Amino acid sequence: QSALTQPASVSGSPGQSITISCTGTSSDVGGYNYVSWYQQHPGKAPKLVIYDVTNRPSGVSNRFSGSKSGTTASLTISGLQGEDEADYYCSSYKSGGTYVFGTGTKVAVL
Amino acid sequence: QMQLVESGGGVVQPGRSLRLSCAASGFSFNTFGMHWVRQAPGQGLEWVAVTSSNGVAKFYADSVKGRFIISRDNSENTLYLQMDSLRGEDTAVYYCAKERGDFTGFDSWGQGTLVTVSS
């Protein structure tokens, strides 16, 4: 099961917007609207920030938004803040009942 | 408040077995699918296994299929992962995670338990 492809790192200045891509195949990202995104700070458990491609769980800042086109999903963080500095992972349901995570992206706030 | 607490990690020799547990509270455990996700030191997240709410349907990552068994006891609100024939590449922090709904992401995670496979 190959991991979804994400850029290794993305950076931005406070207040800017950044976008993280997540590329899969027609068997996962392209085949289902079941892409989710997770934020992970060092030494902590992951936290769900987007589910079902575009939906935000209660309590997650509206600065986080998600989208999808074909086999690529994207997470956009607007109004970048220092607390957004973390690792971000996408995940997708995959045909056959399994799931797959992305390779992970380290976000740096300059 | 949903809470998941893993236990059972430790140091184990290659080829041996280990069983992880995940105690759930704060939600109706028997109505949600449950997953195991692992993270090797300094590496990314890897999905391991899922069990349906009633424990009937189970699916595994290719990397653990035939060696790991996921199970649950809904009367005890506990999730398990039986890990046999352990290898060095199984060394990781193992997280249990609650499904938000069918296929829709993992909305609650435990703190993780470290499994180290080494002679």
Side-chain angles (χ1 to χ4, degrees):
Chain A
Q1 283 142 334
S2 298
L4 307 175
T5 301
Q6 298 180 232
S9 63
V10 173
S11 62
S13 299
Q16 286 187 330
S17 292
I18 61 169
T19 297
I20 303 168
S21 61
C22 169
T23 301
T25 69
S26 58
S27 296
D28 40 62
V29 175
Y32 307 93
N33 287 324
Y34 294 132
V35 176
S36 51
W37 289 90
Y38 303 86
Q39 176 192 63
Q40 187 181 35
H41 288 108
K44 301 293 187 182
K47 173 189 174 184
L48 179 68
V49 295
I50 292 288
Y51 67 94
D52 294 356
V53 179
T54 61
N55 296 308
R56 264 189 324 276
S58 173
V60 171
S61 172
N62 59 8
R63 297 185 299 103
F64 291 87
S65 61
S67 63
K68 190 185 87 167
S69 178
T71 58
T72 298
S74 299
L75 173 71
T76 297
I77 308 175
S78 58
L80 201 61
Q81 299 179 0
E83 65 204 49
D84 300 330
E85 191 161 284
D87 294 327
Y88 290 82
Y89 296 90
C90 61
S91 177
S92 175
Y93 174 76
K94 193 174 171 67
S95 58
T98 62
Y99 294 74
V100 60
F101 279 95
T103 50
T105 298
K106 184 175 295 291
V107 168
V109 181
L110 305 175
Chain B
Q1 180 80 348
M2 295 185 290
Q3 188 173 19
L4 299 170
V5 179
E6 301 95 338
S7 60
V11 180
V12 60
Q13 293 179 327
R16 303 297 290 266
S17 299
L18 204 61
R19 189 176 84 155
L20 306 182
S21 300
C22 170
S25 61
F27 64 98
S28 298
F29 181 72
N30 60 2
T31 61
F32 292 96
M34 295 293 297
H35 299 249
W36 288 99
V37 176
R38 69 184 181 182
Q39 187 169 35
Q43 302 300 310
L45 300 173
E46 180 187 14
W47 178 81
V48 173
V50 59
T51 177
S52 60
S53 58
N54 62 6
V56 172
K58 302 175 185 183
F59 298 96
Y60 299 90
D62 288 343
S63 57
V64 307
K65 198 176 298 182
R67 300 188 299 123
F68 290 11
I69 297 175
I70 187 171
S71 62
R72 64 191 298 160
D73 183 339
N74 284 347
S75 67
E76 296 289 336
N77 290 346
T78 303
L79 176 72
Y80 300 100
L81 186 67
Q82 176 67 40
M83 304 185 294
D84 297 329
S85 303
L86 282 162
R87 307 166 179 168
E89 54 263 38
D90 296 319
T91 295
V93 172
Y94 284 74
Y95 295 99
C96 64
K98 168 189 168 290
E99 213 169 69
R100 186 186 173 281
D102 287 347
F103 318 120
T104 65
F106 319 127
D107 65 350
S108 183
W109 296 66
Q111 84 288 353
T113 186
L114 177 61
V115 173
T116 302
V117 183
S118 174
S119 54

